[in-house]
Amino acid sequence: MGIDIKAKTTGFFKNFRFGDHSTGMAFILLFILAVIVGWPNFLQPRNLINILRQISYTGIIGLGMTLIIISGGIDLSVGSMAAFTGGITILFLNLFPGPSHLGVALAAIFAVIFGALCGLFNGILVTKGRIAPFIATLGTMSIFRSLIQYFSGAGNILSLNTVYPEVGAGMVLGLPVPVWAFFIIAALLHVLLNNTRFGRYVCAVGANEQVARYSAVSVTITRMIPYIITGATVGVTALLWSSRLNSINSSDCVYYELDAIAAAVIGGTSMSGGKGTIIGTVLGAIMLGMINNMLVLGGVSSYLQQAAKGMVIIAAVLLQYNKRN
Amino acid sequence: MTVEKTDQKSVLLETRGITKEFSGVRVLDDISISIRAGEIMGLIGENGAGKSTLIKIISGIYQPTAGSLQLDGKQVEVPDFITAKRLGIAIVPQEFNLINTLSVYENIYLGNEIRKKSGLLDKNRMREKAAEQLAELKMPIDVNLLISELSVAEKQLVEISKALLLDARILIMDEPTTTLTGHEIVILFTLMRNLKRKGVTLIFVSHKLQEIIAICDRVTVLRDGSLISVDNAADVDEHDIARKMIGRDFQQVFPQKKIRGTDDIILEAEGLSSGKMVKDISFNLRRGEILGFAGLVGAGRTETAEAVMGLRPLEAGKLTYNGKKVAIKNPRDAVRLGIGYLSEDRQGKGIVQNFNIPQNVSLISLKRYLKGVLIDKRAELEKSTQYVKKFNIAAASQKMALRFLSGGNQQKVYLARWVDTDPRILILDEPTRGIDVNAKREIYDFIHSLAASGISCIVISSEMEEVIGLCSRVYVMREGKVTGCLEGKQITEEEIMFHATGIKGQVS
């Protein structure tokens, strides 16, 4: 009672609460602003598709990250992990000589499994090792980056397979493959979070670990699986990224963790755990892309783009904080 | 300053008609007590009698709804904790407010640091003065040790030193002996006598009868927020005080008929031990009975229940369920066997605040609502609607997050969660804590009907009347041990109190 008074007057808005839809509202406002600032180029299909492609790499990781944050954790290692996984995947692919389609298919599976194993490693450190997620993944962030530098001799790992780029650079029904991957994974994780037992447990553990424990929920497993899922999403991104350029550079995917976390936070996921949505993260990721695009179209120095992103993140958290009080 | 001459010794602190209400519920009713300079005043009462509220008003943490405080015969306002300290009233809280990662002297001077002229901390001076004070209390502790390196008794000493730093004239000690061993209590009492000799007035809050008699000059008894008596400790014995602490009329809130259950034993525990709070506990539970676990707070009842649920590791002991020996390693094992545990800590261990009613109800039994791998939300909502009706849960909508419900309604949702697991045994720990009388009565009825349907219930409660009104048998615990099992007419407040405080049923 007393929580939905704001918009009670009109029939249509009877059950509408602004607080529940603040991400959607922000998205619409930002979109309108982008249309105005970027007129007419912003609305060009090519531009819109380009935005989606640009955000899909970190967006995919952000989807997994959302689960981790809801469960009460964080993963800082995803950027390094993406570069590492991409590099090892190319080394694996190169075991198959010539333009082997089988090699590409197996490499795709390999990337996802390898990423999931990296995620499992993080998950074990956090749950069994009882290391604070921030610290554990700060450590693995450094480890993964160092390993890819070692394997690449601090340079590039080149693929010898000429059909590999078809994965990352390909188009299906007018949309780039990474965008499809982003939307499909989003749909899967949305169902996982909202309609399965595991999803419910993730929210419960993130909201109050003690309550979950006293309610016979296996806290260890519930906290570990989001890291594995995130590892798998990192694997997908690593596959898409490495195949697009048909190589991996040891300094690729730097700061991916920031964009992934930012997408989740802007999308309304609470950093203290227990609350968040996949749809929010999708919108959050697209908003980040729109802001960048808008600044480019508006002729703002590219050096200032990160500053704009930073302000949006802070504004999103402020909004969350105010809602809670 | 002229000292007020009265027939009695000089009164230092006086409460005049102190009344306190929390959202319309009166927890303290017209309390007038005079505390004399240099005495040790005992303040005793059952849980919920109003002891804590009274000392919180005296130390400025709460404001009284009506009434006033007089210090040295003059009316004083104590709007906050700091003012109380300035007036010379200090409190040693039950839960220590010490910072584990700082040293002894840093904790003693926290907020009152001594500085040099340059503005930097004068650590040497603080060390010296802290050591001086501890020596004066005849309790030498190395002031450079970290709090985390100290024993509980030593921590308490630091807490006392901190309280005395600002020349406290009145020192309130809230249940200081709860966490101390016998030997440590002796040391504490010596210290209290030393303080008294130095002219400090002490208010000693406890629910342990022997301690009150042993250390206090006078004893104030509170019950249900009212002042019952103020006696010289020399004039009363433990039995007198126990009788004053209890002895209220029962309201007719309990189901008329008691349920005995059948004769077959569903759960038998033999020699359970787990940590300091569960020592060699044996009990048995019959099918369909309501079994009580009585005792004072900290007697080890919750810990025993948690050990049974697999929430605490068992170091020794055997559990027999339906005639078979069982090992319960975690709550999932317990739930699989059909054992449920409603925690006393509803907010911290019970409900998920931001989950709605169906989500809270189905948390443990979620498996039943699965269609394939997906949750059938309609079935979930339907079941939850049934519980809302059955338990008379007042909520504007099922979609409401639990944090918007009242304590009683939250408790009913929490209870529904366990009932939805179809338990054979349900352990209810303080099932009516913090809820209103109507909800209480409803919950008693639910427990009664659960037992009538063959579910064995264990009710852990610190409210005497609850145990007496509901249970057909009652185990009483004290300091991690079972001190007795009362049955039928033996179940009286006096008997329970005697066993709970160690007058009866001493076990070695």
Side-chain angles (χ1 to χ4, degrees), chain A:
Chain A
M1 264 172 269
I3 46 171
D4 56 354
I5 296 169
K6 276 181 193 164
K8 220 171 188 173
T9 39
T10 52
F12 181 75
F13 288 111
K14 212 166 106 189
N15 292 316
F16 191 86
R17 292 198 302 258
F18 183 78
D20 292 351
H21 302 277
S22 56
T23 310
M25 301 292 239
F27 181 85
I28 293 165
L29 287 177
L30 197 63
F31 189 84
I32 295 169
L33 189 67
V35 170
I36 297 167
V37 172
W39 187 265
N41 297 326
F42 177 79
L43 279 179
Q44 298 279 324
R46 247 190 61 185
N47 185 52
L48 293 177
I49 288 173
N50 210 22
I51 293 175
L52 288 177
R53 181 207 286 281
Q54 280 168 359
I55 57 101
S56 59
Y57 302 102
T58 51
I60 288 169
I61 299 173
L63 299 172
M65 186 71 79
T66 306
L67 293 185
I68 293 185
I69 296 175
I70 294 175
S71 78
I74 191 89
D75 188 345
L76 302 180
S77 73
V78 290
S80 304
M81 195 197 289
F84 178 47
T85 305
I88 300 299
T89 301
I90 290 182
L91 291 178
F92 174 83
L93 179 67
N94 286 346
L95 297 176
F96 300 88
S100 161
H101 279 97
L102 174 72
V104 172
L106 289 176
I109 296 167
F110 178 86
V112 174
I113 292 175
F114 190 86
L117 288 174
C118 291
L120 174 67
F121 184 59
N122 279 333
I124 288 172
L125 290 180
V126 168
T127 55
K128 299 284 182 192
R130 293 171 189 275
I131 305 172
F134 189 95
I135 304 302
T137 58
L138 192 66
T140 53
M141 172 184 185
S142 182
I143 293 170
F144 295 143
R145 183 62 66 188
S146 163
L147 288 174
I148 183 60
Q149 280 169 344
Y150 172 77
F151 283 115
S152 67
N156 291 307
I157 296 180
L158 301 173
S159 153
L160 309 173
N161 192 317
T162 49
V163 292
Y164 190 44
E166 285 170 19
V167 181
M171 299 282 276
V172 177
L173 299 176
L175 281 180
V177 172
V179 177
W180 281 110
F182 180 46
F183 286 143
I184 291 169
I185 294 171
L188 288 174
L189 293 191
H190 173 79
V191 172
L192 183 74
L193 182 62
N194 286 290
N195 299 77
T196 69
R197 198 147 67 112
F198 167 71
R200 190 68 66 75
Y201 286 176
V202 167
C203 294
V205 166
N208 189 329
E209 200 176 306
Q210 284 283 33
V211 170
R213 195 167 88 90
Y214 274 71
S215 299
V217 172
S218 171
V219 173
T220 306
I221 291 171
T222 308
R223 288 183 65 200
M224 190 177 319
I225 291 177
Y227 286 95
I228 301 173
I229 292 174
T230 301
T233 60
V234 168
V236 172
T237 294
L239 174 77
L240 296 169
W241 183 256
S242 64
S243 68
R244 184 164 183 224
L245 302 171
N246 217 13
S247 70
I248 275 284
N249 185 281
S250 63
S251 60
D252 274 347
C253 309
V254 168
Y255 292 143
Y256 271 26
E257 59 280 352
L258 294 190
D259 280 5
I261 295 167
V265 170
I266 293 169
T269 298
S270 158
M271 284 305 282
S272 49
K275 240 180 83 192
T277 63
I278 292 293
I279 294 172
T281 302
V282 171
L283 293 180
I286 298 176
M287 281 199 288
L288 279 175
M290 286 198 301
I291 292 164
N292 266 342
N293 189 255
M294 193 163 71
L295 295 173
V296 172
L297 294 178
V300 177
S301 159
S302 63
Y303 296 121
L304 284 177
Q305 287 175 16
Q306 291 295 325
K309 194 188 291 179
M311 283 190 282
V312 171
I313 295 169
I314 292 169
V317 176
L318 272 177
L319 208 72
Q320 271 190 36
Y321 178 78
N322 290 336
K323 240 196 304 178
R324 231 177 292 144
N325 287 294

Side-chain angles (χ1 to χ4, degrees), chain A residues 1 3 17 191 194-198 200-201 203-204 207-208 210-219 273-275, chain B residues 306 311 331-332 335 347-352 354-355 359 362-364 366-367 373-375 377 380 400 404 417-418:
Chain A
M1 264 172 269
I3 46 171
R17 292 198 302 258
V191 172
N194 286 290
N195 299 77
T196 69
R197 198 147 67 112
F198 167 71
R200 190 68 66 75
Y201 286 176
C203 294
N208 189 329
Q210 284 283 33
V211 170
R213 195 167 88 90
Y214 274 71
S215 299
V217 172
S218 171
V219 173
K275 240 180 83 192
Chain B
E306 290 183 349
L311 286 158
R332 287 181 297 292
V335 169
Q347 309 293 337
K349 289 163 185 165
I351 56 166
V352 186
N354 62 345
F355 273 21
Q359 288 170 334
S362 66
L363 188 58
I364 305 170
L366 208 48
K367 225 183 209 164
V373 294
L374 302 184
I375 299 168
K377 293 196 177 177
E380 195 186 21
M400 270 175 98
F404 294 117
R417 179 194 300 165
W418 278 112

